[in-house]
Amino acid sequence: MKTVVLDLDGTMYRGSQIIQSAKEFIDYCLENKIPFIFLTNNAMRTRTQNVKHMLDMGYSGISSEQFFNSAMAACAYAKKQYSIKRAVYLGKDGLKEAMELSSIEYDPKHPQAVFVGLNKEATYQEYSQYLAYLLKGAKLIGTNKDRILASPKGFEIGNGSIVKMFEYASNQISPDIGKPATPILDLCLDHFELDRNDILLVGDNLETDIKLGQNANIETVFVQTGVHTKEDIKRLNIHPTYVIDHLMELPALIFDHNNDTI
């Protein structure tokens, strides 16, 4: 049985607004013992905060061990590729937790890297402070390059737009770690001890979720509850394996009448 790898923003909810069909799908998975995990570019929340956020909306049966985010991927990547031991971060609790889990010391005096994750309360002065670290030689490492995010009122600026600002200002290029780049997937699979053939990738964003599946040559399901609609497929030339309107259409795609995977 394949593990369903689910996006969060735009797939499970929009901001603090639950997507009802997504809740029904999670309940279906729990009832039928279908394994699922969450893979998200959202680096703001800790795993425990992610659970609380979803439980507060009405979800149940979810644990913190089911989450892997771009902050965790960025820290693991930084240690593996650049031997980073000391860093600072522009972000929220999710980045703080990821650094602690990876045993990367928070060091504002001699940072080897600046991790950039979304912080919606960050100010111009804070941006300039972190730019100073970069100009002194710290490595710029963005958790993800999402251009925009789905919200109950429409769309908001994504972390990728902030990373792009730092790239321009510092004359550095951040490594591609989050979706649609494959490092986040490979690090996630290592974390959960899974293989690419063991998963089905599900998301609402063609440019991140589905493009990741395309880059990794794995099966994808595009759900039209978030950033994109099926009309965007041809325009972006990003083609999912399956297209559905909502997640409760997914069981019919995954299972035949004998409850076996296709």
Side-chain angles (χ1 to χ4, degrees):
M1 183 179 295
K2 288 196 174 186
T3 297
V4 183
V5 181
L6 295 154
D7 176 55
L8 290 177
D9 298 278
T11 303
M12 294 288 104
Y13 51 76
R14 293 175 68 99
S16 59
Q17 182 181 41
I18 193 171
I19 297 174
Q20 190 59 35
S21 57
K23 180 189 181 305
E24 293 170 6
F25 177 70
I26 294 299
D27 291 342
Y28 177 90
C29 288
L30 292 169
E31 182 179 349
N32 291 277
K33 295 182 171 54
I34 301 167
F36 63 92
I37 58 175
F38 300 104
L39 176 62
T40 177
N41 269 357
N42 189 329
M44 293 190 291
R45 298 186 183 95
T46 66
R47 294 172 298 170
T48 299
Q49 288 170 345
N50 271 316
V51 173
K52 184 179 186 303
H53 183 63
M54 295 182 71
L55 294 181
D56 287 348
M57 281 186 283
Y59 284 97
S60 60
I62 293 170
S63 70
S64 61
E65 288 76 19
Q66 291 173 289
F67 291 82
F68 192 87
N69 61 41
S70 64
M72 296 166 68
C75 290
Y77 186 92
K79 289 195 71 173
K80 184 176 181 180
Q81 297 296 325
Y82 307 118
S83 300
I84 297 297
K85 297 179 181 178
R86 306 179 311 277
V88 292
Y89 68 93
L90 175 62
K92 302 292 283 185
D93 290 345
L95 255 177
K96 180 181 178 181
E97 178 186 66
M99 285 179 59
E100 292 171 351
L101 289 171
S102 298
S103 299
I104 295 176
E105 178 186 356
Y106 176 77
D107 183 357
K109 292 185 177 180
H110 305 288
Q112 297 171 290
V114 174
F115 291 107
V116 177
L118 190 61
N119 182 343
K120 296 181 181 180
E121 289 79 42
T123 65
Y124 180 84
Q125 287 73 23
E126 287 175 305
Y127 289 148
S128 298
Q129 175 188 346
Y130 287 95
L131 172 62
Y133 291 126
L134 297 171
L135 294 177
K136 290 178 182 177
K139 175 68 179 173
L140 172 63
I141 303 178
T143 60
N144 69 80
K145 295 189 176 182
D146 285 2
R147 291 187 304 107
I148 58 175
L149 299 175
S151 75
K153 296 182 179 179
F155 299 98
E156 298 175 345
I157 292 209
N159 190 58
S161 299
I162 308 301
V163 173
K164 195 72 174 178
M165 175 186 71
F166 277 109
E167 287 182 332
Y168 182 72
S170 67
N171 198 31
Q172 291 193 44
I173 300 296
S174 169
D176 284 341
I177 298 170
K179 308 177 206 178
T182 55
I184 189 173
L185 178 66
D186 293 332
L187 291 163
C188 174
L189 295 178
D190 286 345
H191 180 80
F192 289 107
E193 298 182 344
L194 293 169
D195 184 84
R196 288 187 180 187
N197 294 323
D198 297 333
I199 67 170
L200 183 65
L201 191 63
V202 182
D204 68 291
N205 191 319
L206 290 166
E207 294 177 296
T208 57
D209 306 311
I210 306 308
K211 184 66 175 178
L212 170 59
Q214 197 168 281
N215 289 341
N217 194 30
I218 58 176
E219 285 189 312
T220 57
V221 177
F222 169 52
V223 59
Q224 300 176 83
T225 53
V227 172
H228 293 119
T229 66
K230 61 184 177 183
E231 284 72 26
D232 296 311
I233 294 174
K234 184 176 181 181
R235 176 178 65 83
L236 296 171
N237 193 31
I238 299 172
H239 299 275
T241 312
Y242 307 106
V243 179
I244 57 178
D245 291 328
H246 56 80
L247 279 181
M248 279 310 292
E249 294 180 10
L250 185 51
L253 291 178
I254 303 177
F255 297 97
D256 62 21
H257 296 298
N258 293 320
N259 203 40
D260 294 326
T261 53
I262 58 174

